[in-house]
Amino acid sequence: MIKFLDLQKINAQYQQELREAATRVIDSGWYVLGKELASFEQNYAQYCGTTHALGVANGLDALRLIFKAYIALGVMQKGDEVLVPANTYIASVLAVTDTGLTPVFVEPDINTYNIDSSKLEAAITSKTKAVLAVHLYGQIAVDSGMVAICKKYGLKLVEDAAQSHGAVWNEKISGGIGDAAGHSFYPGKNLGALGDAGAVTTNDTELATTIEALRNYGSHKKYENKYQGLNSRLDELQAAFLNVKLNYLQKEIAARRAVANYYLQYITNPKILLPKCHTERSRSAETNYDSRLTFHDSHLTSHISRLTSHVWHLFVIRTKNREQLQQYLTKNGVQTLIHYPIPPHQQQAYKQYNSLSFPITEKIHNEVLSLPISPVMTDEEIEKVVEIVNNF
Ligand SMILES: *Cc1c(COP(=O)(O)O)cnc(C)c1O
């Protein structure tokens, strides 16, 4: 069976270093807000090209804390509106509603599946305070049109960078493109911990210091609380694991890209639509990728010289015959998943939005299927997936 994502195999590559990291933390006697976190925050900020990175408990909290901090700072208030893609994982929307803000759904571009920046302006009202750009499936969602609109209307550009670690746009790296970004290190993400973990990156020092307090009960100083905060910290054990895995992220992205390029070149079944990369994003990224990244491995240059705005967290194809294709692949030993089967506005959790209609989003949710992609797939596995998909 070809697994959708073999996490055991991914982490086995680094088992010695991971065990050493765990031992170091166990022996230290210090388990929360310590040296490992400080070092990961420094490393990750450097990787994203931001002045601040703050470890938090998970990706949803990272986004919640960004909006909570903007509210604490008076930049936003409850009832204000945030433009969110209708086509996203529900966590993006939960972060908005959980902080008392109102999500305003915007349809995606049918080619990239990311929010359609040409539809943003029509959704803006006097209450609009931010755009939440979700870099879905690993592809940068920001384009020059979005940046111009945020500037024109004074909107904060918040990135949901949960799926896009290392993706590049316009000389900037995912997490360093907007005003603030939420990252997830859920085990299955491109940079995955061995449990839950997340981070906020930003160049805004006031926002960073506010989030630093908010993640720790709203306290800047022990037993003095300026805000009504959360307990949302990234513990030392996960930070130590992430310090190990961050060193291999570029290598893993290159391996994912090699799988994606093979699929793009050799899947030729006319019943299947392959993912497309936004040309503006690819072009602008191309020239600047190598010089920017700290953890870059020079021998990988040839693999990563193309399509750098996409880090292929997921390889998502589309077909009118999804159910049959998924069954056919399962029968032939290829595990697939659907990202995602039900859009946020049609979930039971959001009854108030159930009557809204987003035809492009709904079409995507009805037709997408994610093929196996990971840094540890063998050539035989990749070839087998292509053969079976083409035989369908
Ligand atoms: C995974 C994910 C999140 C949430 O991250 P967690 O660490 O699971 O809380 C948010 N947004 C997107 C797009 C995600 O894929």
Side-chain angles (χ1 to χ4, degrees), residues 330-363:
T330 308
K331 204 179 69 196
N332 286 283
V334 177
Q335 194 184 12
T336 56
L337 292 173
I338 295 169
H339 298 93
Y340 297 89
I342 306 171
H345 74 277
Q346 293 185 329
Q347 295 283 356
Q348 266 194 53
Y350 286 125
K351 283 206 178 62
Q352 67 271 42
Y353 304 124
N354 285 178
S355 61
L356 298 178
S357 158
F358 296 103
I360 301 172
T361 297
E362 287 152 29
K363 182 182 172 66

PDB file of all heavy atoms in Angstrom, residues 330-363:
ATOM      1  N   THR A 330      -7.788   3.195  -4.310  1.00  0.00           N
ATOM      2  CA  THR A 330      -7.766   2.376  -3.093  1.00  0.00           C
ATOM      3  C   THR A 330      -7.605   0.899  -3.444  1.00  0.00           C
ATOM      4  O   THR A 330      -6.780   0.197  -2.852  1.00  0.00           O
ATOM      5  CB  THR A 330      -9.081   2.572  -2.286  1.00  0.00           C
ATOM      6  OG1 THR A 330      -9.279   3.966  -2.107  1.00  0.00           O
ATOM      7  CG2 THR A 330      -9.018   1.900  -0.932  1.00  0.00           C
ATOM      8  N   LYS A 331      -8.401   0.459  -4.421  1.00  0.00           N
ATOM      9  CA  LYS A 331      -8.371  -0.950  -4.849  1.00  0.00           C
ATOM     10  C   LYS A 331      -6.969  -1.336  -5.341  1.00  0.00           C
ATOM     11  O   LYS A 331      -6.513  -2.459  -5.158  1.00  0.00           O
ATOM     12  CB  LYS A 331      -9.399  -1.139  -5.976  1.00  0.00           C
ATOM     13  CG  LYS A 331      -9.917  -2.561  -6.134  1.00  0.00           C
ATOM     14  CD  LYS A 331     -10.953  -2.634  -7.249  1.00  0.00           C
ATOM     15  CE  LYS A 331     -10.283  -2.418  -8.608  1.00  0.00           C
ATOM     16  NZ  LYS A 331     -11.182  -2.099  -9.696  1.00  0.00           N
ATOM     17  N   ASN A 332      -6.268  -0.352  -5.939  1.00  0.00           N
ATOM     18  CA  ASN A 332      -4.929  -0.615  -6.466  1.00  0.00           C
ATOM     19  C   ASN A 332      -3.812  -0.223  -5.490  1.00  0.00           C
ATOM     20  O   ASN A 332      -2.647  -0.085  -5.876  1.00  0.00           O
ATOM     21  CB  ASN A 332      -4.744   0.098  -7.801  1.00  0.00           C
ATOM     22  CG  ASN A 332      -5.507  -0.609  -8.912  1.00  0.00           C
ATOM     23  OD1 ASN A 332      -5.077  -1.641  -9.421  1.00  0.00           O
ATOM     24  ND2 ASN A 332      -6.664  -0.072  -9.262  1.00  0.00           N
ATOM     25  N   GLY A 333      -4.179  -0.006  -4.235  1.00  0.00           N
ATOM     26  CA  GLY A 333      -3.166   0.204  -3.206  1.00  0.00           C
ATOM     27  C   GLY A 333      -2.601   1.618  -3.098  1.00  0.00           C
ATOM     28  O   GLY A 333      -1.487   1.811  -2.628  1.00  0.00           O
ATOM     29  N   VAL A 334      -3.387   2.626  -3.512  1.00  0.00           N
ATOM     30  CA  VAL A 334      -2.922   4.018  -3.367  1.00  0.00           C
ATOM     31  C   VAL A 334      -3.894   4.762  -2.465  1.00  0.00           C
ATOM     32  O   VAL A 334      -5.073   4.913  -2.790  1.00  0.00           O
ATOM     33  CB  VAL A 334      -2.833   4.737  -4.739  1.00  0.00           C
ATOM     34  CG1 VAL A 334      -2.411   6.190  -4.552  1.00  0.00           C
ATOM     35  CG2 VAL A 334      -1.868   4.006  -5.662  1.00  0.00           C
ATOM     36  N   GLN A 335      -3.376   5.232  -1.326  1.00  0.00           N
ATOM     37  CA  GLN A 335      -4.226   5.928  -0.361  1.00  0.00           C
ATOM     38  C   GLN A 335      -4.365   7.408  -0.748  1.00  0.00           C
ATOM     39  O   GLN A 335      -3.356   8.067  -1.020  1.00  0.00           O
ATOM     40  CB  GLN A 335      -3.585   5.807   1.028  1.00  0.00           C
ATOM     41  CG  GLN A 335      -4.511   6.191   2.143  1.00  0.00           C
ATOM     42  CD  GLN A 335      -3.804   6.157   3.501  1.00  0.00           C
ATOM     43  OE1 GLN A 335      -2.583   6.056   3.590  1.00  0.00           O
ATOM     44  NE2 GLN A 335      -4.593   6.246   4.547  1.00  0.00           N
ATOM     45  N   THR A 336      -5.594   7.902  -0.793  1.00  0.00           N
ATOM     46  CA  THR A 336      -5.820   9.321  -1.103  1.00  0.00           C
ATOM     47  C   THR A 336      -6.717   9.935  -0.038  1.00  0.00           C
ATOM     48  O   THR A 336      -7.366   9.232   0.728  1.00  0.00           O
ATOM     49  CB  THR A 336      -6.529   9.488  -2.472  1.00  0.00           C
ATOM     50  OG1 THR A 336      -7.749   8.745  -2.439  1.00  0.00           O
ATOM     51  CG2 THR A 336      -5.660   9.004  -3.617  1.00  0.00           C
ATOM     52  N   LEU A 337      -6.745  11.280   0.006  1.00  0.00           N
ATOM     53  CA  LEU A 337      -7.633  11.991   0.936  1.00  0.00           C
ATOM     54  C   LEU A 337      -8.306  13.141   0.185  1.00  0.00           C
ATOM     55  O   LEU A 337      -7.885  13.499  -0.926  1.00  0.00           O
ATOM     56  CB  LEU A 337      -6.837  12.550   2.124  1.00  0.00           C
ATOM     57  CG  LEU A 337      -6.238  11.546   3.118  1.00  0.00           C
ATOM     58  CD1 LEU A 337      -5.352  12.280   4.118  1.00  0.00           C
ATOM     59  CD2 LEU A 337      -7.327  10.769   3.850  1.00  0.00           C
ATOM     60  N   ILE A 338      -9.344  13.714   0.790  1.00  0.00           N
ATOM     61  CA  ILE A 338     -10.048  14.848   0.175  1.00  0.00           C
ATOM     62  C   ILE A 338      -9.855  16.087   1.049  1.00  0.00           C
ATOM     63  O   ILE A 338     -10.198  16.085   2.222  1.00  0.00           O
ATOM     64  CB  ILE A 338     -11.552  14.529   0.009  1.00  0.00           C
ATOM     65  CG1 ILE A 338     -11.723  13.376  -0.992  1.00  0.00           C
ATOM     66  CG2 ILE A 338     -12.317  15.776  -0.449  1.00  0.00           C
ATOM     67  CD1 ILE A 338     -13.128  12.801  -1.032  1.00  0.00           C
ATOM     68  N   HIS A 339      -9.259  17.126   0.467  1.00  0.00           N
ATOM     69  CA  HIS A 339      -9.032  18.395   1.183  1.00  0.00           C
ATOM     70  C   HIS A 339      -9.745  19.518   0.452  1.00  0.00           C
ATOM     71  O   HIS A 339      -9.193  20.096  -0.458  1.00  0.00           O
ATOM     72  CB  HIS A 339      -7.535  18.705   1.264  1.00  0.00           C
ATOM     73  CG  HIS A 339      -6.760  17.697   2.007  1.00  0.00           C
ATOM     74  ND1 HIS A 339      -6.141  16.626   1.391  1.00  0.00           N
ATOM     75  CD2 HIS A 339      -6.511  17.575   3.326  1.00  0.00           C
ATOM     76  CE1 HIS A 339      -5.524  15.896   2.310  1.00  0.00           C
ATOM     77  NE2 HIS A 339      -5.741  16.446   3.491  1.00  0.00           N
ATOM     78  N   TYR A 340     -11.009  19.829   0.774  1.00  0.00           N
ATOM     79  CA  TYR A 340     -11.736  19.262   1.915  1.00  0.00           C
ATOM     80  C   TYR A 340     -13.115  18.870   1.413  1.00  0.00           C
ATOM     81  O   TYR A 340     -13.592  19.462   0.452  1.00  0.00           O
ATOM     82  CB  TYR A 340     -11.797  20.284   3.060  1.00  0.00           C
ATOM     83  CG  TYR A 340     -10.397  20.605   3.551  1.00  0.00           C
ATOM     84  CD1 TYR A 340      -9.677  21.628   2.957  1.00  0.00           C
ATOM     85  CD2 TYR A 340      -9.789  19.844   4.548  1.00  0.00           C
ATOM     86  CE1 TYR A 340      -8.368  21.889   3.361  1.00  0.00           C
ATOM     87  CE2 TYR A 340      -8.491  20.121   4.959  1.00  0.00           C
ATOM     88  CZ  TYR A 340      -7.784  21.135   4.356  1.00  0.00           C
ATOM     89  OH  TYR A 340      -6.498  21.390   4.728  1.00  0.00           O
ATOM     90  N   PRO A 341     -13.815  17.963   2.048  1.00  0.00           N
ATOM     91  CA  PRO A 341     -15.110  17.531   1.504  1.00  0.00           C
ATOM     92  C   PRO A 341     -16.255  18.523   1.719  1.00  0.00           C
ATOM     93  O   PRO A 341     -17.163  18.587   0.915  1.00  0.00           O
ATOM     94  CB  PRO A 341     -15.378  16.208   2.240  1.00  0.00           C
ATOM     95  CG  PRO A 341     -14.480  16.205   3.421  1.00  0.00           C
ATOM     96  CD  PRO A 341     -13.348  17.139   3.151  1.00  0.00           C
ATOM     97  N   ILE A 342     -16.242  19.289   2.816  1.00  0.00           N
ATOM     98  CA  ILE A 342     -17.338  20.236   3.094  1.00  0.00           C
ATOM     99  C   ILE A 342     -16.753  21.627   3.371  1.00  0.00           C
ATOM    100  O   ILE A 342     -15.927  21.781   4.267  1.00  0.00           O
ATOM    101  CB  ILE A 342     -18.168  19.791   4.333  1.00  0.00           C
ATOM    102  CG1 ILE A 342     -18.655  18.344   4.154  1.00  0.00           C
ATOM    103  CG2 ILE A 342     -19.341  20.744   4.582  1.00  0.00           C
ATOM    104  CD1 ILE A 342     -19.302  17.760   5.413  1.00  0.00           C
ATOM    105  N   PRO A 343     -17.151  22.646   2.607  1.00  0.00           N
ATOM    106  CA  PRO A 343     -16.609  23.990   2.863  1.00  0.00           C
ATOM    107  C   PRO A 343     -17.133  24.560   4.184  1.00  0.00           C
ATOM    108  O   PRO A 343     -18.223  24.181   4.629  1.00  0.00           O
ATOM    109  CB  PRO A 343     -17.102  24.819   1.677  1.00  0.00           C
ATOM    110  CG  PRO A 343     -18.220  24.056   1.066  1.00  0.00           C
ATOM    111  CD  PRO A 343     -18.067  22.621   1.461  1.00  0.00           C
ATOM    112  N   PRO A 344     -16.384  25.473   4.799  1.00  0.00           N
ATOM    113  CA  PRO A 344     -16.791  26.031   6.092  1.00  0.00           C
ATOM    114  C   PRO A 344     -18.231  26.547   6.111  1.00  0.00           C
ATOM    115  O   PRO A 344     -18.965  26.297   7.067  1.00  0.00           O
ATOM    116  CB  PRO A 344     -15.787  27.172   6.315  1.00  0.00           C
ATOM    117  CG  PRO A 344     -14.570  26.737   5.568  1.00  0.00           C
ATOM    118  CD  PRO A 344     -15.058  25.975   4.375  1.00  0.00           C
ATOM    119  N   HIS A 345     -18.667  27.249   5.033  1.00  0.00           N
ATOM    120  CA  HIS A 345     -20.017  27.856   5.068  1.00  0.00           C
ATOM    121  C   HIS A 345     -21.124  26.802   5.035  1.00  0.00           C
ATOM    122  O   HIS A 345     -22.274  27.123   5.276  1.00  0.00           O
ATOM    123  CB  HIS A 345     -20.193  28.875   3.934  1.00  0.00           C
ATOM    124  CG  HIS A 345     -20.361  28.279   2.570  1.00  0.00           C
ATOM    125  ND1 HIS A 345     -19.296  27.872   1.797  1.00  0.00           N
ATOM    126  CD2 HIS A 345     -21.471  28.001   1.842  1.00  0.00           C
ATOM    127  CE1 HIS A 345     -19.751  27.382   0.651  1.00  0.00           C
ATOM    128  NE2 HIS A 345     -21.064  27.439   0.650  1.00  0.00           N
ATOM    129  N   GLN A 346     -20.777  25.549   4.730  1.00  0.00           N
ATOM    130  CA  GLN A 346     -21.808  24.501   4.726  1.00  0.00           C
ATOM    131  C   GLN A 346     -21.707  23.576   5.938  1.00  0.00           C
ATOM    132  O   GLN A 346     -22.433  22.588   6.032  1.00  0.00           O
ATOM    133  CB  GLN A 346     -21.696  23.676   3.432  1.00  0.00           C
ATOM    134  CG  GLN A 346     -22.061  24.493   2.194  1.00  0.00           C
ATOM    135  CD  GLN A 346     -22.080  23.671   0.923  1.00  0.00           C
ATOM    136  OE1 GLN A 346     -21.337  22.699   0.785  1.00  0.00           O
ATOM    137  NE2 GLN A 346     -22.917  24.057  -0.029  1.00  0.00           N
ATOM    138  N   GLN A 347     -20.822  23.899   6.866  1.00  0.00           N
ATOM    139  CA  GLN A 347     -20.681  23.069   8.065  1.00  0.00           C
ATOM    140  C   GLN A 347     -21.814  23.349   9.054  1.00  0.00           C
ATOM    141  O   GLN A 347     -22.292  24.476   9.158  1.00  0.00           O
ATOM    142  CB  GLN A 347     -19.331  23.373   8.759  1.00  0.00           C
ATOM    143  CG  GLN A 347     -18.101  23.001   7.941  1.00  0.00           C
ATOM    144  CD  GLN A 347     -17.803  21.512   7.929  1.00  0.00           C
ATOM    145  OE1 GLN A 347     -18.479  20.722   8.592  1.00  0.00           O
ATOM    146  NE2 GLN A 347     -16.771  21.128   7.172  1.00  0.00           N
ATOM    147  N   GLN A 348     -22.157  22.325   9.825  1.00  0.00           N
ATOM    148  CA  GLN A 348     -23.183  22.493  10.870  1.00  0.00           C
ATOM    149  C   GLN A 348     -22.789  23.566  11.874  1.00  0.00           C
ATOM    150  O   GLN A 348     -23.633  24.266  12.419  1.00  0.00           O
ATOM    151  CB  GLN A 348     -23.332  21.182  11.637  1.00  0.00           C
ATOM    152  CG  GLN A 348     -24.418  20.289  11.113  1.00  0.00           C
ATOM    153  CD  GLN A 348     -24.723  19.194  12.131  1.00  0.00           C
ATOM    154  OE1 GLN A 348     -24.990  19.475  13.295  1.00  0.00           O
ATOM    155  NE2 GLN A 348     -24.646  17.953  11.685  1.00  0.00           N
ATOM    156  N   ALA A 349     -21.491  23.691  12.109  1.00  0.00           N
ATOM    157  CA  ALA A 349     -20.978  24.668  13.084  1.00  0.00           C
ATOM    158  C   ALA A 349     -21.320  26.096  12.675  1.00  0.00           C
ATOM    159  O   ALA A 349     -21.337  26.989  13.515  1.00  0.00           O
ATOM    160  CB  ALA A 349     -19.464  24.516  13.216  1.00  0.00           C
ATOM    161  N   TYR A 350     -21.536  26.318  11.378  1.00  0.00           N
ATOM    162  CA  TYR A 350     -21.825  27.664  10.876  1.00  0.00           C
ATOM    163  C   TYR A 350     -23.203  27.730  10.228  1.00  0.00           C
ATOM    164  O   TYR A 350     -23.342  28.141   9.073  1.00  0.00           O
ATOM    165  CB  TYR A 350     -20.727  28.106   9.902  1.00  0.00           C
ATOM    166  CG  TYR A 350     -19.430  28.477  10.595  1.00  0.00           C
ATOM    167  CD1 TYR A 350     -18.227  27.871  10.243  1.00  0.00           C
ATOM    168  CD2 TYR A 350     -19.407  29.446  11.598  1.00  0.00           C
ATOM    169  CE1 TYR A 350     -17.034  28.215  10.875  1.00  0.00           C
ATOM    170  CE2 TYR A 350     -18.225  29.794  12.235  1.00  0.00           C
ATOM    171  CZ  TYR A 350     -17.048  29.178  11.872  1.00  0.00           C
ATOM    172  OH  TYR A 350     -15.884  29.525  12.505  1.00  0.00           O
ATOM    173  N   LYS A 351     -24.229  27.357  10.987  1.00  0.00           N
ATOM    174  CA  LYS A 351     -25.612  27.361  10.486  1.00  0.00           C
ATOM    175  C   LYS A 351     -25.986  28.698   9.866  1.00  0.00           C
ATOM    176  O   LYS A 351     -26.706  28.755   8.880  1.00  0.00           O
ATOM    177  CB  LYS A 351     -26.579  27.061  11.647  1.00  0.00           C
ATOM    178  CG  LYS A 351     -26.609  25.594  12.025  1.00  0.00           C
ATOM    179  CD  LYS A 351     -27.940  25.221  12.666  1.00  0.00           C
ATOM    180  CE  LYS A 351     -27.988  23.756  12.997  1.00  0.00           C
ATOM    181  NZ  LYS A 351     -26.951  23.345  13.972  1.00  0.00           N
ATOM    182  N   GLN A 352     -25.454  29.794  10.464  1.00  0.00           N
ATOM    183  CA  GLN A 352     -25.825  31.127   9.966  1.00  0.00           C
ATOM    184  C   GLN A 352     -25.319  31.381   8.550  1.00  0.00           C
ATOM    185  O   GLN A 352     -25.785  32.291   7.877  1.00  0.00           O
ATOM    186  CB  GLN A 352     -25.328  32.216  10.934  1.00  0.00           C
ATOM    187  CG  GLN A 352     -23.809  32.396  11.043  1.00  0.00           C
ATOM    188  CD  GLN A 352     -23.153  31.505  12.106  1.00  0.00           C
ATOM    189  OE1 GLN A 352     -23.492  30.318  12.247  1.00  0.00           O
ATOM    190  NE2 GLN A 352     -22.203  32.056  12.840  1.00  0.00           N
ATOM    191  N   TYR A 353     -24.354  30.568   8.080  1.00  0.00           N
ATOM    192  CA  TYR A 353     -23.821  30.758   6.722  1.00  0.00           C
ATOM    193  C   TYR A 353     -24.291  29.669   5.757  1.00  0.00           C
ATOM    194  O   TYR A 353     -23.945  29.714   4.579  1.00  0.00           O
ATOM    195  CB  TYR A 353     -22.288  30.794   6.742  1.00  0.00           C
ATOM    196  CG  TYR A 353     -21.724  31.856   7.674  1.00  0.00           C
ATOM    197  CD1 TYR A 353     -20.828  31.537   8.692  1.00  0.00           C
ATOM    198  CD2 TYR A 353     -22.115  33.190   7.531  1.00  0.00           C
ATOM    199  CE1 TYR A 353     -20.332  32.506   9.554  1.00  0.00           C
ATOM    200  CE2 TYR A 353     -21.628  34.171   8.386  1.00  0.00           C
ATOM    201  CZ  TYR A 353     -20.742  33.821   9.404  1.00  0.00           C
ATOM    202  OH  TYR A 353     -20.263  34.781  10.233  1.00  0.00           O
ATOM    203  N   ASN A 354     -25.059  28.691   6.252  1.00  0.00           N
ATOM    204  CA  ASN A 354     -25.451  27.554   5.415  1.00  0.00           C
ATOM    205  C   ASN A 354     -26.237  27.958   4.161  1.00  0.00           C
ATOM    206  O   ASN A 354     -26.182  27.272   3.152  1.00  0.00           O
ATOM    207  CB  ASN A 354     -26.267  26.532   6.214  1.00  0.00           C
ATOM    208  CG  ASN A 354     -25.425  25.693   7.173  1.00  0.00           C
ATOM    209  OD1 ASN A 354     -25.948  24.853   7.896  1.00  0.00           O
ATOM    210  ND2 ASN A 354     -24.111  25.916   7.204  1.00  0.00           N
ATOM    211  N   SER A 355     -26.946  29.072   4.215  1.00  0.00           N
ATOM    212  CA  SER A 355     -27.761  29.454   3.059  1.00  0.00           C
ATOM    213  C   SER A 355     -26.947  30.221   2.009  1.00  0.00           C
ATOM    214  O   SER A 355     -27.441  30.489   0.915  1.00  0.00           O
ATOM    215  CB  SER A 355     -28.942  30.296   3.521  1.00  0.00           C
ATOM    216  OG  SER A 355     -28.443  31.465   4.148  1.00  0.00           O
ATOM    217  N   LEU A 356     -25.724  30.594   2.332  1.00  0.00           N
ATOM    218  CA  LEU A 356     -24.880  31.304   1.355  1.00  0.00           C
ATOM    219  C   LEU A 356     -24.501  30.356   0.221  1.00  0.00           C
ATOM    220  O   LEU A 356     -24.444  29.135   0.401  1.00  0.00           O
ATOM    221  CB  LEU A 356     -23.612  31.849   2.017  1.00  0.00           C
ATOM    222  CG  LEU A 356     -23.798  32.892   3.129  1.00  0.00           C
ATOM    223  CD1 LEU A 356     -22.449  33.298   3.702  1.00  0.00           C
ATOM    224  CD2 LEU A 356     -24.540  34.115   2.601  1.00  0.00           C
ATOM    225  N   SER A 357     -24.235  30.940  -0.938  1.00  0.00           N
ATOM    226  CA  SER A 357     -23.876  30.117  -2.093  1.00  0.00           C
ATOM    227  C   SER A 357     -22.533  30.570  -2.676  1.00  0.00           C
ATOM    228  O   SER A 357     -22.355  31.754  -3.000  1.00  0.00           O
ATOM    229  CB  SER A 357     -24.999  30.252  -3.127  1.00  0.00           C
ATOM    230  OG  SER A 357     -24.512  29.927  -4.398  1.00  0.00           O
ATOM    231  N   PHE A 358     -21.593  29.643  -2.757  1.00  0.00           N
ATOM    232  CA  PHE A 358     -20.285  29.921  -3.358  1.00  0.00           C
ATOM    233  C   PHE A 358     -19.986  28.820  -4.378  1.00  0.00           C
ATOM    234  O   PHE A 358     -19.343  27.817  -4.050  1.00  0.00           O
ATOM    235  CB  PHE A 358     -19.196  29.996  -2.275  1.00  0.00           C
ATOM    236  CG  PHE A 358     -19.399  31.129  -1.320  1.00  0.00           C
ATOM    237  CD1 PHE A 358     -19.896  30.905  -0.049  1.00  0.00           C
ATOM    238  CD2 PHE A 358     -19.137  32.434  -1.711  1.00  0.00           C
ATOM    239  CE1 PHE A 358     -20.117  31.954   0.836  1.00  0.00           C
ATOM    240  CE2 PHE A 358     -19.350  33.495  -0.843  1.00  0.00           C
ATOM    241  CZ  PHE A 358     -19.847  33.255   0.433  1.00  0.00           C
ATOM    242  N   PRO A 359     -20.479  29.001  -5.602  1.00  0.00           N
ATOM    243  CA  PRO A 359     -20.408  27.921  -6.605  1.00  0.00           C
ATOM    244  C   PRO A 359     -18.986  27.435  -6.900  1.00  0.00           C
ATOM    245  O   PRO A 359     -18.798  26.223  -7.086  1.00  0.00           O
ATOM    246  CB  PRO A 359     -21.032  28.547  -7.855  1.00  0.00           C
ATOM    247  CG  PRO A 359     -21.681  29.807  -7.432  1.00  0.00           C
ATOM    248  CD  PRO A 359     -21.191  30.193  -6.084  1.00  0.00           C
ATOM    249  N   ILE A 360     -18.020  28.336  -6.950  1.00  0.00           N
ATOM    250  CA  ILE A 360     -16.650  27.896  -7.284  1.00  0.00           C
ATOM    251  C   ILE A 360     -16.097  27.043  -6.140  1.00  0.00           C
ATOM    252  O   ILE A 360     -15.542  25.962  -6.345  1.00  0.00           O
ATOM    253  CB  ILE A 360     -15.733  29.105  -7.581  1.00  0.00           C
ATOM    254  CG1 ILE A 360     -16.299  29.923  -8.742  1.00  0.00           C
ATOM    255  CG2 ILE A 360     -14.307  28.651  -7.886  1.00  0.00           C
ATOM    256  CD1 ILE A 360     -15.590  31.238  -9.007  1.00  0.00           C
ATOM    257  N   THR A 361     -16.299  27.539  -4.921  1.00  0.00           N
ATOM    258  CA  THR A 361     -15.868  26.785  -3.739  1.00  0.00           C
ATOM    259  C   THR A 361     -16.534  25.416  -3.691  1.00  0.00           C
ATOM    260  O   THR A 361     -15.877  24.395  -3.438  1.00  0.00           O
ATOM    261  CB  THR A 361     -16.248  27.583  -2.464  1.00  0.00           C
ATOM    262  OG1 THR A 361     -15.523  28.808  -2.490  1.00  0.00           O
ATOM    263  CG2 THR A 361     -15.939  26.815  -1.199  1.00  0.00           C
ATOM    264  N   GLU A 362     -17.834  25.394  -3.948  1.00  0.00           N
ATOM    265  CA  GLU A 362     -18.574  24.124  -3.865  1.00  0.00           C
ATOM    266  C   GLU A 362     -18.113  23.147  -4.938  1.00  0.00           C
ATOM    267  O   GLU A 362     -17.960  21.948  -4.681  1.00  0.00           O
ATOM    268  CB  GLU A 362     -20.090  24.398  -3.942  1.00  0.00           C
ATOM    269  CG  GLU A 362     -20.593  25.034  -2.633  1.00  0.00           C
ATOM    270  CD  GLU A 362     -21.817  25.931  -2.776  1.00  0.00           C
ATOM    271  OE1 GLU A 362     -22.637  25.693  -3.689  1.00  0.00           O
ATOM    272  OE2 GLU A 362     -21.951  26.889  -1.980  1.00  0.00           O
ATOM    273  N   LYS A 363     -17.826  23.678  -6.130  1.00  0.00           N
ATOM    274  CA  LYS A 363     -17.320  22.832  -7.223  1.00  0.00           C
ATOM    275  C   LYS A 363     -15.975  22.208  -6.804  1.00  0.00           C
ATOM    276  O   LYS A 363     -15.748  21.012  -6.974  1.00  0.00           O
ATOM    277  CB  LYS A 363     -17.146  23.702  -8.475  1.00  0.00           C
ATOM    278  CG  LYS A 363     -16.663  22.967  -9.724  1.00  0.00           C
ATOM    279  CD  LYS A 363     -16.502  23.981 -10.863  1.00  0.00           C
ATOM    280  CE  LYS A 363     -15.840  23.383 -12.084  1.00  0.00           C
ATOM    281  NZ  LYS A 363     -16.654  22.348 -12.744  1.00  0.00           N
TER     282      LYS A 363
END
